[in-house]
Amino acid sequence: MSDDDQHIKTNVHPDAPMHKGEHFTIPHPPPQDQQQNKSKPIPETGWNAPVPSKDGGADEPDFMNKPPYTWKSEGNKFVAAYTTQCWCGNVAFEFHGSPLDAKHCHCRQCQALHGAPFQWAVIFPKTSVRLIKNKDDSLHFFSTEKKQDVHYVPCKVSCDQCRSPLFDEGRNTVLAYPGSFKFKNKKVPADFQPTSHIFYGQRVMDVPDGIPKWSGHKAQSELLQEMSMDEGTMPKYKGKRKRSCEGITGEGSIRRCHAE
């Protein structure tokens, strides 16, 4: 089997159009290293009421005593697999099971709110998340819709002391940030490794990692090539540059090289 046969083709997806360009053919990880995009069932964690704030907004009564905050699991079915905490340690959560999916988001909002080129997030059901520490009432909410520090779903959850972002609370799920997770041996589990890049059309840097790149939402938009020669997208130098050199050879000589 040839080397090419052992690699999947870039941005392959049977139901989506593909944008082809000069960087379309790039080596990628073999198929066995690719995450399968199969839907996962919602685990039973001992919450038998409707999902809190599933309609969004700020109308959920007593939300702090419901998922994904402080709540009791009936039958002790909630089994913590992971813990996460803010940088100062005032706020901590625990998570049941494994993520439903993982992704990188390149939208402008994520860039601005995270102060980074893109966001890395994993998706958990709300009923698989529980608050276990809130020292000095440090839990902080921010609504991007209201642009106020209020619990208005969807909203961003962080620590009011160190300002570490912890997760986004959605209507049915939580988008948690793996950077705050305490992984065993500091190794990232396979389920936390992204299966896609979304809103890649708004990116500020190219990421040739072999993972499908969607112009908008996953499986609902066009697949894009991984790299572009467009100005304003990092890295500044894309690919190999030819170099020419001139000078005098020999002992004590000065040799000058420059990029063409």
Side-chain angles (χ1 to χ4, degrees), residues 24-89:
F24 186 73
T25 304
I26 300 174
H28 288 78
Q32 60 267 28
D33 286 349
Q34 296 295 307
Q35 293 290 311
Q36 299 297 316
N37 294 328
K38 297 179 180 178
S39 60
K40 298 180 180 179
I42 305 300
E44 174 56 57
T45 57
W47 178 259
N48 299 318
V51 176
S53 301
K54 64 182 179 63
D55 295 324
D59 296 331
E60 184 69 40
D62 196 29
F63 72 89
M64 280 298 296
N65 291 310
K66 300 175 182 178
Y69 305 107
T70 305
W71 61 282
K72 185 177 180 180
S73 167
E74 292 187 19
N76 294 319
K77 294 179 180 179
F78 189 107
V79 179
Y82 301 100
T83 59
T84 180
Q85 70 175 36
C86 64
W87 189 85
C88 72

Side-chain angles (χ1 to χ4, degrees), residues 108-119 165:
R108 300 295 187 189
Q109 177 173 285
C110 285
Q111 292 173 26
L113 290 170
H114 288 264
F118 53 90
Q119 173 210 74

Side-chain angles (χ1 to χ4, degrees), residues 152-167:
Y152 188 95
V153 177
C155 68
K156 293 192 165 288
V157 180
S158 63
C159 172
D160 199 32
Q161 181 67 27
C162 64
R163 304 296 180 178
S164 298
L166 292 165
F167 61 72

